PDB file of all heavy atoms in Angstrom:
ATOM      1  N   GLU A  76     -10.663  -8.490   3.271  1.00 96.00           N
ATOM      2  CA  GLU A  76      -9.340  -8.131   3.752  1.00 96.00           C
ATOM      3  C   GLU A  76      -8.412  -9.325   3.637  1.00 96.00           C
ATOM      4  O   GLU A  76      -8.845 -10.463   3.437  1.00 96.00           O
ATOM      5  CB  GLU A  76      -9.405  -7.642   5.191  1.00 96.00           C
ATOM      6  CG  GLU A  76      -9.655  -8.717   6.225  1.00 96.00           C
ATOM      7  CD  GLU A  76      -9.552  -8.184   7.642  1.00 96.00           C
ATOM      8  OE1 GLU A  76      -9.802  -6.991   7.879  1.00 96.00           O
ATOM      9  OE2 GLU A  76      -9.209  -8.993   8.514  1.00 96.00           O
ATOM     10  N   LEU A  77      -7.130  -9.043   3.771  1.00 97.00           N
ATOM     11  CA  LEU A  77      -6.116 -10.091   3.780  1.00 97.00           C
ATOM     12  C   LEU A  77      -5.803 -10.414   5.231  1.00 97.00           C
ATOM     13  O   LEU A  77      -5.222  -9.596   5.948  1.00 97.00           O
ATOM     14  CB  LEU A  77      -4.866  -9.627   3.038  1.00 97.00           C
ATOM     15  CG  LEU A  77      -3.700 -10.612   2.982  1.00 97.00           C
ATOM     16  CD1 LEU A  77      -4.098 -11.876   2.228  1.00 97.00           C
ATOM     17  CD2 LEU A  77      -2.492  -9.945   2.326  1.00 97.00           C
ATOM     18  N   PRO A  78      -6.193 -11.607   5.690  1.00 97.00           N
ATOM     19  CA  PRO A  78      -5.926 -11.980   7.079  1.00 97.00           C
ATOM     20  C   PRO A  78      -4.483 -12.490   7.240  1.00 97.00           C
ATOM     21  O   PRO A  78      -3.784 -12.717   6.254  1.00 97.00           O
ATOM     22  CB  PRO A  78      -6.945 -13.100   7.323  1.00 97.00           C
ATOM     23  CG  PRO A  78      -7.133 -13.735   5.993  1.00 97.00           C
ATOM     24  CD  PRO A  78      -6.966 -12.627   4.980  1.00 97.00           C
ATOM     25  N   PRO A  79      -4.059 -12.722   8.470  1.00 98.00           N
ATOM     26  CA  PRO A  79      -2.691 -13.190   8.724  1.00 98.00           C
ATOM     27  C   PRO A  79      -2.536 -14.690   8.447  1.00 98.00           C
ATOM     28  O   PRO A  79      -2.516 -15.516   9.347  1.00 98.00           O
ATOM     29  CB  PRO A  79      -2.483 -12.870  10.207  1.00 98.00           C
ATOM     30  CG  PRO A  79      -3.859 -12.943  10.792  1.00 98.00           C
ATOM     31  CD  PRO A  79      -4.776 -12.441   9.723  1.00 98.00           C
ATOM     32  N   ILE A  80      -2.400 -15.026   7.155  1.00 97.00           N
ATOM     33  CA  ILE A  80      -2.297 -16.433   6.759  1.00 97.00           C
ATOM     34  C   ILE A  80      -0.849 -16.884   6.601  1.00 97.00           C
ATOM     35  O   ILE A  80      -0.591 -18.069   6.402  1.00 97.00           O
ATOM     36  CB  ILE A  80      -3.071 -16.712   5.455  1.00 97.00           C
ATOM     37  CG1 ILE A  80      -2.578 -15.792   4.340  1.00 97.00           C
ATOM     38  CG2 ILE A  80      -4.563 -16.558   5.691  1.00 97.00           C
ATOM     39  CD1 ILE A  80      -3.123 -16.130   2.964  1.00 97.00           C
ATOM     40  N   HIS A  81       0.071 -15.939   6.665  1.00 97.00           N
ATOM     41  CA  HIS A  81       1.500 -16.244   6.530  1.00 97.00           C
ATOM     42  C   HIS A  81       2.264 -15.189   7.340  1.00 97.00           C
ATOM     43  O   HIS A  81       1.829 -14.041   7.430  1.00 97.00           O
ATOM     44  CB  HIS A  81       1.901 -16.182   5.047  1.00 97.00           C
ATOM     45  CG  HIS A  81       3.284 -16.635   4.774  1.00 97.00           C
ATOM     46  ND1 HIS A  81       4.375 -15.792   4.892  1.00 97.00           N
ATOM     47  CD2 HIS A  81       3.772 -17.837   4.374  1.00 97.00           C
ATOM     48  CE1 HIS A  81       5.475 -16.466   4.572  1.00 97.00           C
ATOM     49  NE2 HIS A  81       5.135 -17.711   4.258  1.00 97.00           N
ATOM     50  N   TYR A  82       3.393 -15.582   7.870  1.00 96.00           N
ATOM     51  CA  TYR A  82       4.121 -14.665   8.751  1.00 96.00           C
ATOM     52  C   TYR A  82       4.599 -13.389   8.069  1.00 96.00           C
ATOM     53  O   TYR A  82       4.798 -12.366   8.716  1.00 96.00           O
ATOM     54  CB  TYR A  82       5.286 -15.379   9.441  1.00 96.00           C
ATOM     55  CG  TYR A  82       6.432 -15.772   8.536  1.00 96.00           C
ATOM     56  CD1 TYR A  82       7.449 -14.867   8.245  1.00 96.00           C
ATOM     57  CD2 TYR A  82       6.510 -17.049   7.986  1.00 96.00           C
ATOM     58  CE1 TYR A  82       8.500 -15.221   7.426  1.00 96.00           C
ATOM     59  CE2 TYR A  82       7.549 -17.409   7.170  1.00 96.00           C
ATOM     60  CZ  TYR A  82       8.545 -16.500   6.889  1.00 96.00           C
ATOM     61  OH  TYR A  82       9.583 -16.856   6.081  1.00 96.00           O
ATOM     62  N   MET A  83       4.745 -13.385   6.739  1.00 96.00           N
ATOM     63  CA  MET A  83       5.238 -12.181   6.052  1.00 96.00           C
ATOM     64  C   MET A  83       4.258 -11.013   6.105  1.00 96.00           C
ATOM     65  O   MET A  83       4.621  -9.893   5.767  1.00 96.00           O
ATOM     66  CB  MET A  83       5.600 -12.492   4.597  1.00 96.00           C
ATOM     67  CG  MET A  83       6.964 -13.156   4.442  1.00 96.00           C
ATOM     68  SD  MET A  83       8.354 -12.279   5.252  1.00 96.00           S
ATOM     69  CE  MET A  83       8.351 -10.730   4.380  1.00 96.00           C
ATOM     70  N   ILE A  84       3.057 -11.256   6.575  1.00 97.00           N
ATOM     71  CA  ILE A  84       2.105 -10.147   6.696  1.00 97.00           C
ATOM     72  C   ILE A  84       2.626  -9.074   7.646  1.00 97.00           C
ATOM     73  O   ILE A  84       2.284  -7.901   7.505  1.00 97.00           O
ATOM     74  CB  ILE A  84       0.703 -10.641   7.114  1.00 97.00           C
ATOM     75  CG1 ILE A  84      -0.323  -9.527   6.863  1.00 97.00           C
ATOM     76  CG2 ILE A  84       0.659 -11.064   8.575  1.00 97.00           C
ATOM     77  CD1 ILE A  84      -1.545  -9.942   6.168  1.00 97.00           C
ATOM     78  N   VAL A  85       3.478  -9.474   8.593  1.00 96.00           N
ATOM     79  CA  VAL A  85       3.968  -8.488   9.563  1.00 96.00           C
ATOM     80  C   VAL A  85       4.817  -7.394   8.909  1.00 96.00           C
ATOM     81  O   VAL A  85       5.093  -6.377   9.543  1.00 96.00           O
ATOM     82  CB  VAL A  85       4.720  -9.136  10.754  1.00 96.00           C
ATOM     83  CG1 VAL A  85       3.820 -10.105  11.501  1.00 96.00           C
ATOM     84  CG2 VAL A  85       6.022  -9.769  10.310  1.00 96.00           C
ATOM     85  N   ALA A  86       5.188  -7.568   7.654  1.00 96.00           N
ATOM     86  CA  ALA A  86       5.897  -6.505   6.942  1.00 96.00           C
ATOM     87  C   ALA A  86       5.044  -5.246   6.841  1.00 96.00           C
ATOM     88  O   ALA A  86       5.568  -4.134   6.758  1.00 96.00           O
ATOM     89  CB  ALA A  86       6.307  -6.968   5.539  1.00 96.00           C
ATOM     90  N   VAL A  87       3.699  -5.425   6.882  1.00 97.00           N
ATOM     91  CA  VAL A  87       2.780  -4.281   6.766  1.00 97.00           C
ATOM     92  C   VAL A  87       1.829  -4.152   7.952  1.00 97.00           C
ATOM     93  O   VAL A  87       1.076  -3.186   8.037  1.00 97.00           O
ATOM     94  CB  VAL A  87       1.971  -4.337   5.449  1.00 97.00           C
ATOM     95  CG1 VAL A  87       2.894  -4.212   4.244  1.00 97.00           C
ATOM     96  CG2 VAL A  87       1.113  -5.582   5.373  1.00 97.00           C
ATOM     97  N   GLY A  88       1.820  -5.126   8.839  1.00 96.00           N
ATOM     98  CA  GLY A  88       0.897  -5.124   9.978  1.00 96.00           C
ATOM     99  C   GLY A  88       0.430  -6.538  10.253  1.00 96.00           C
ATOM    100  O   GLY A  88       1.046  -7.500   9.800  1.00 96.00           O
TER     101      GLY A  88
END
Side-chain angles (χ1 to χ4, degrees):
E76 73 174 28
L77 179 63
I80 56 171
H81 187 275
Y82 69 86
M83 280 308 298
I84 195 133
V85 301
V87 296

